[in-house]
Amino acid sequence: MPKRRADATAGEDDEMRASEEKDNLPELPPADEEWSADEDDVEEEPDEEESGEDDEEGMEEGEPAVQEPSRVYLPGEAEEAEKTGDLVCDESAYQLYHTCGTLLPCLSFDVIPDNLGDERTTYPATVYCIAGSQAEKANKNSLLIMKMSKLSQMKPQKDSDDEDEDSGDDSDEDELPELECAQIRHIGAVNRLKFAKVNNVPLAASFSETGSVHLWDLTNAIRAVDDSRIMSNFRQNASDYTPFYTFSGHKAEGFALHWSRAAPGQLATGDCNGDIHVWKPISGGRWNVDQRSYRSHTSSVEDIQWSPNEANVFASCSSDKSIKIWDIRQNPSSACMMTTGDAHTEDVNVIHWNPTEPFIVSGSDAGDIKVWDLRRFATGNAAVAVFRHHRGPICSIEWHPTDSTVFAAAGEDNQLTQWDIAVEKGEDEPQELDSVPPQLLFIHQGQTEIKELHWHPQMPGVILSSALNGIDVFKTISV
């Protein structure tokens, strides 16, 4: 799939600047940069002898080559084309599309809000994020604080005549993306990572495979990616960068972690034993973690979501197939207020609370997605919509930050989908679309083993998604 790619290799030069493109390779990145292209994407030129034989066998001299017409695949039809490499990206479906590669898989990440303005739609764009690695050796892991800048807008495709006329005018517009990266050593693979700003201090919470949960002050790291002089000093003192608080009360590793938006600094963490602990900030930049766990799930807690407007309420989901609503004003033993026991037929992997409406969206191992109305949750019949498209477990799901009917989901079938629950089927839709849910807006592919997605809160419609082959930053024409 053609896209711009900048490989971020921790410990090496983090700023990727590209020289001028070579005239004979207009589709490939410059050879002197650490940019990568799959071998399958590069066509070898045939030898003259072989070329001549093909001409004799395939066509008469002077006869124009016949170009196969492109085919548009409906969802569910393209699996074989993807395996054979015949499925390619339609770049006209994107307004923005870049990929940042990392040396190690960084499957959990979060967007870092910035001071560049809200609701921004101008290009080139700049994005800040933090990611955590999953190395095989515990002492080889890191947190990566990244600044991706000069992210240009997708250019409309031109015919050959237009390209010849405009070839001399694009040199100033073809700046390739740049990446600055500050690396912080992390003991153990990072299972889950979340960013929050508390009392105007940028913080990150990381859940390690060792079972410990760490809090990090990212002030210096963010300054470093903005200033090369600070970066030099940051790298010299990188070994001194340690978490300012660690909780080791979980009896097992975990993947559930979420900061409260309604009560800044309040945090909830859940582990694979089914235990949930609530953290509350106290004076002096410290946290008090209740040693009594909130326990009602009978299996691993997979995800946690605080209510966006009620400081004392959070939701959780589990591999026991349930979704629960909790009120922390009660004792931990009696704080579970509502439960939907068989929310899905298989493990409930992820949930997300709608920022403005009383809805929760969930995804399961079965690949199905459900939307829950919290006003009907206690009745056990609260699912107001069920969507089935993904052919693998749902591993990430998130509502759009401002459009209350739009959400995105990612699955282990290497697809990231965008949905709008307000869309209804039209009366005159073609029959061949009967198998496609009308609420399905867009399918993004090209990543291997997608694990997390996040909408950018300050750039409408922009999504970041992490996978084995890096982090994609894109905006589609659908949202």
Side-chain angles (χ1 to χ4, degrees):
M1 181 174 293
K3 54 198 162 190
R4 296 178 186 268
R5 177 186 298 273
D7 285 341
T9 304
E12 298 182 7
D13 186 10
D14 301 307
E15 185 174 359
M16 301 298 163
R17 293 188 174 88
S19 60
E20 296 179 359
E21 291 185 348
K22 307 297 187 294
D23 292 337
N24 60 332
L25 292 175
E27 298 297 328
L28 297 178
D32 57 349
E33 294 300 316
E34 292 185 13
W35 288 48
S36 61
D38 294 331
E39 293 180 0
D40 295 337
D41 294 333
V42 184
E43 296 182 2
E44 296 182 1
E45 292 203 15
D47 295 331
E48 291 183 5
E49 197 173 320
E50 295 176 351
S51 178
E53 292 175 2
D54 290 339
D55 288 341
E56 291 176 7
E57 295 176 5
M59 62 184 71
E60 296 181 4
E61 186 176 355
E63 183 179 345
V66 178
Q67 185 173 2
E68 294 253 347
S70 61
R71 175 185 172 186
V72 177
Y73 291 88
L74 290 174
E77 295 181 348
E79 187 172 352
E80 189 61 34
E82 186 178 8
K83 291 179 180 178
T84 59
D86 294 333
L87 189 67
V88 296
C89 170
D90 180 2
E91 293 188 348
S92 66
Y94 292 87
Q95 296 184 38
L96 177 75
Y97 193 176
H98 295 268
T99 292
C100 171
T102 52
L103 180 62
L104 293 172
C106 293
L107 304 182
S108 186
F109 79 103
D110 206 357
V111 177
I112 299 178
D114 52 54
N115 298 318
L116 302 178
D118 296 333
E119 301 295 317
R120 60 183 191 263
T121 57
T122 57
Y123 298 95
T126 298
V127 171
Y128 295 79
C129 68
I130 178 171
S133 70
Q134 284 83 27
E136 292 185 5
K137 295 183 179 180
N139 62 350
K140 297 296 183 181
N141 285 287
S142 300
L143 302 180
L144 301 177
I145 295 83
M146 293 178 279
K147 176 187 177 182
M148 292 174 262
S149 59
K150 296 185 179 180
L151 303 181
S152 59
Q153 189 175 18
M154 299 294 290
K155 295 181 180 179
Q157 296 180 351
K158 302 178 182 179
D159 58 36
S160 57
D161 294 336
D162 290 336
E163 288 178 358
D164 292 339
E165 293 176 5
D166 298 340
S167 59
D169 301 331
D170 292 341
S171 58
D172 294 336
E173 300 177 6
D174 287 340
E175 286 188 294
L176 295 174
E178 293 182 0
L179 175 66
E180 293 288 347
C181 180
Q183 179 181 354
I184 300 172
R185 186 187 179 202
H186 188 278
I187 299 300
V190 181
N191 290 349
R192 189 61 57 91
L193 184 65
K194 294 291 183 181
F195 175 88
K197 186 166 279 191
V198 181
N199 296 327
N200 211 34
V201 177
L203 304 180
S206 64
F207 210 142
S208 171
E209 66 175 349
T210 64
S212 296
V213 182
H214 307 293
L215 297 185
W216 307 80
D217 184 342
L218 302 181
T219 302
N220 291 335
I222 294 175
R223 289 175 179 169
V225 298
D226 280 331
D227 190 316
S228 59
R229 293 169 299 178
I230 298 177
M231 176 67 80
S232 177
N233 182 67
F234 181 89
R235 287 175 173 167
Q236 291 176 7
N237 299 283
S239 59
D240 298 333
Y241 215 109
T242 57
F244 68 87
Y245 186 85
T246 296
F247 175 66
S248 301
H250 283 286
K251 299 177 181 178
E253 66 176 322
F255 296 85
L257 183 154
H258 194 238
W259 292 99
S260 171
R261 190 173 73 174
Q266 195 164 264
L267 181 70
T269 53
D271 62 36
C272 294
N273 279 350
D275 292 314
I276 299 172
H277 289 275
V278 172
W279 307 41
K280 292 186 177 182
I282 56 178
S283 61
R286 296 174 297 161
W287 266 256
N288 178 53
V289 185
D290 196 333
Q291 300 296 321
R292 301 171 300 169
S293 67
Y294 292 75
R295 185 174 181 86
S296 179
H297 287 295
T298 58
S299 188
S300 172
V301 179
E302 298 296 291
D303 203 1
I304 291 175
Q305 280 283 299
W306 285 99
S307 165
N309 45 40
E310 295 186 51
N312 298 304
V313 177
F314 71 85
S316 63
C317 66
S318 169
S319 56
D320 64 11
K321 307 176 187 178
S322 72
I323 299 175
K324 296 179 182 287
I325 309 296
W326 306 75
D327 188 336
I328 64 172
R329 289 170 294 192
Q330 308 297 321
N331 289 326
S333 60
S334 57
C336 181
M337 310 307 292
M338 292 185 289
T339 298
T340 292
D342 290 314
H344 291 263
T345 58
E346 296 185 29
D347 300 7
V348 186
N349 296 329
V350 286
I351 54 175
H352 196 258
W353 204 308
N354 193 299
T356 57
E357 300 293 336
F359 296 138
I360 285 178
V361 64
S362 62
S364 80
D365 258 2
D368 58 337
I369 297 168
K370 293 187 178 182
V371 178
W372 305 87
D373 188 339
L374 292 171
R375 294 165 294 191
R376 298 164 47 187
F377 202 81
T379 67
N381 189 29
V384 295
V386 180
F387 303 112
R388 294 182 175 90
H389 163 77
H390 285 275
R391 299 182 177 181
I394 305 298
C395 51
S396 187
I397 202 160
E398 191 169 294
W399 290 102
H400 190 285
T402 57
D403 192 332
S404 62
T405 65
V406 173
F407 68 87
E412 292 187 11
D413 55 357
N414 297 330
Q415 294 188 36
L416 189 155
T417 52
Q418 294 177 332
W419 303 76
D420 188 343
I421 63 173
V423 175
E424 296 181 358
K425 185 176 182 179
E427 296 180 358
D428 54 352
E429 281 191 4
Q431 187 175 359
E432 56 264 28
L433 295 180
D434 286 347
S435 61
V436 181
Q439 296 81 11
L440 179 59
L441 302 179
F442 197 93
I443 301 174
H444 172 74
Q445 294 180 263
Q447 290 183 283
T448 303
E449 293 191 29
I450 305 174
K451 290 301 180 183
E452 284 190 13
L453 72 89
H454 297 295
W455 299 90
H456 196 293
Q458 298 168 285
M459 301 172 65
V462 172
I463 287 179
L464 284 77
S465 58
S466 61
L468 283 180
N469 55 335
I471 296 176
D472 276 10
V473 183
F474 65 92
K475 174 179 170 62
T476 74
I477 61 175
S478 298
V479 179

